Amino acid sequence: MPRSNALDTHTLPCCPALLSLALAGGPLEPLRQLRDQYDSSAAAIAAGPAQWRAAGCTPAQCQALSRPDADAWAKANAWLQDDNHHLLGWGEPDYPPLLRDSPNPPLALFIAGEPTRLWQPAIAIVGSRNPTAGGRDSARDFATALAGHGLAIASGLAAGIDAAAHRAALACSGSTYAVIGTGPDLAYPRHHRQLQAQIASQGTVVSEYPPGTVPRSGQFPARNRLLAALALGTVVIEAAERSGALITARLASEAGREIFAVPGSIHNPMARGCHRLIRQGATLVTHADDILEGVANLAGELACALQTRLHTPISPVPSGQHPAVTPVDPNYKRLWDALGYDPTGMDLLIERTGLTAASLSSMLLLMELEGRVASAHGRYTRT
């Protein structure tokens, strides 16, 4: 006899099929394999229990796919009714490429804010929940400088260094996103509710956990793997010998990302984790330029992936000619016309082009890598 709080997937329209997969729980690999076998999430759901089992799904997952929990479904579906809330799934072209190529990527992402920001090159800034005043200043200074170079600031919305980095990016109108370890409708710690709402409004909040998921200890190390994978590199500012920031650094290394550590006083216990990372091979950094140099190669790879996604190749500039944006995408022409030889800020470019900050950031990155645009202190000029 079916459970009273279960939902019959055969009555669902095609669009919610991804939500059924996202709510199945359990190991991720069988669900990704199942999704890869079919053209859509709806086709994967319609394949039926025999194919689910063949993909490696557990009995509990098969039960959940057959009849999703009605309460969890209703809560997630209600959250997704907001125009600023999104569910981005494995197999979709907009799934972040750096995350796709990382160890054990999530099947789906619950996103509050602009999903395309997850394609923007980012630096993760992490550290102690109880930093010194100097540690907070370092987080603010690095975040401000990196945001001024067009990089997004990523962190985990925890107290201390995380919050300082997010706030600094918001204060200078930079891009920031938070990777959280609860459902996207919950703030942890609770006093960060307003900060989380501000990031969702001006940036992006992302979680692999469905709405209503309360904080549990095991979810935060899992959250850290997403943060580490989405960013080009991770900067650790003040971390004790046993610190969640060191877990993020280890996971970043396993994902093939760059690790940076800010040194501190030998008398500061919050610097011991950073010093250990440096001994283990992390790059010692004292200035944002140290970080920019370290992530240049991976930034180029991300730009190539973005260029492929947008289908907008940029033609080489013939010798002796001024650069001209290829007509493949008219948005590039609009952006090129909006730029001049005087430094232009992002707000003015948004006003002139009518494009979103996330789209402009991605396009400017490509043009900068091609040598057409130069950036300094958050302003852009033609070269």
Side-chain angles (χ1 to χ4, degrees), residues 146-315:
L146 292 167
H149 283 280
L151 291 162
I153 304 303
S155 200
L157 202 64
I161 295 297
D162 290 25
H166 286 306
R167 289 191 172 105
L170 292 169
C172 69
S173 299
S175 179
T176 187
Y177 60 79
V179 185
I180 62 175
T182 64
D185 57 332
L186 300 177
Y188 184 82
R190 291 183 180 179
H191 65 266
H192 279 175
R193 184 178 295 109
Q194 183 175 354
L195 177 58
Q196 180 167 322
Q198 186 179 4
I199 294 173
S201 175
Q202 298 177 229
T204 305
V205 175
V206 58
S207 175
E208 66 177 315
Y209 301 108
T213 303
V214 299
R216 298 184 180 91
S217 59
Q219 292 165 191
F220 292 93
R223 175 276 310 270
N224 290 349
R225 88 185 191 285
L226 269 65
L227 175 60
L230 283 165
L232 301 176
T234 294
V235 182
V236 182
I237 302 174
E238 289 197 342
E241 292 270 23
R242 296 174 61 86
S243 168
L246 299 186
I247 295 176
T248 305
R250 175 177 58 79
L251 293 168
S253 178
E254 292 174 358
R257 307 295 185 262
E258 296 294 328
I259 311 300
F260 307 95
V262 178
S265 168
I266 61 172
H267 304 294
N268 178 8
M270 288 298 150
R272 291 173 185 165
C274 294
H275 295 161
R276 190 174 90 189
L277 288 174
I278 293 169
R279 289 195 302 271
Q280 293 172 345
T283 301
L284 185 155
V285 293
T286 59
H287 192 274
D289 288 344
D290 302 330
I291 298 167
L292 296 172
E293 182 179 348
V295 301
N297 289 338
L298 188 55
E301 294 177 17
L302 179 60
C304 289
L306 178 60
Q307 194 166 326
T308 300
R309 174 68 187 101
L310 294 175
H311 302 293
T312 52
I314 301 176
S315 302

Side-chain angles (χ1 to χ4, degrees), residues 70-80 185 211-213:
D71 292 339
W73 175 275
K75 186 168 293 186
N77 191 53
W79 183 83
L80 287 167
D185 57 332
T213 303

Side-chain angles (χ1 to χ4, degrees), residues 46-107:
Q51 295 304 314
W52 302 341
R53 290 191 296 270
C57 292
T58 66
Q61 286 176 319
C62 291
Q63 174 69 10
L65 290 173
S66 178
R67 302 190 66 80
D69 182 274
D71 292 339
W73 175 275
K75 186 168 293 186
N77 191 53
W79 183 83
L80 287 167
Q81 298 311 302
D82 189 306
D83 289 341
N84 199 41
H85 295 168
H86 312 274
L87 181 61
L88 181 60
W90 182 260
E92 297 183 35
D94 287 334
Y95 192 95
L98 292 181
L99 187 57
R100 182 186 301 280
D101 294 335
S102 69
N104 200 29
L107 180 79

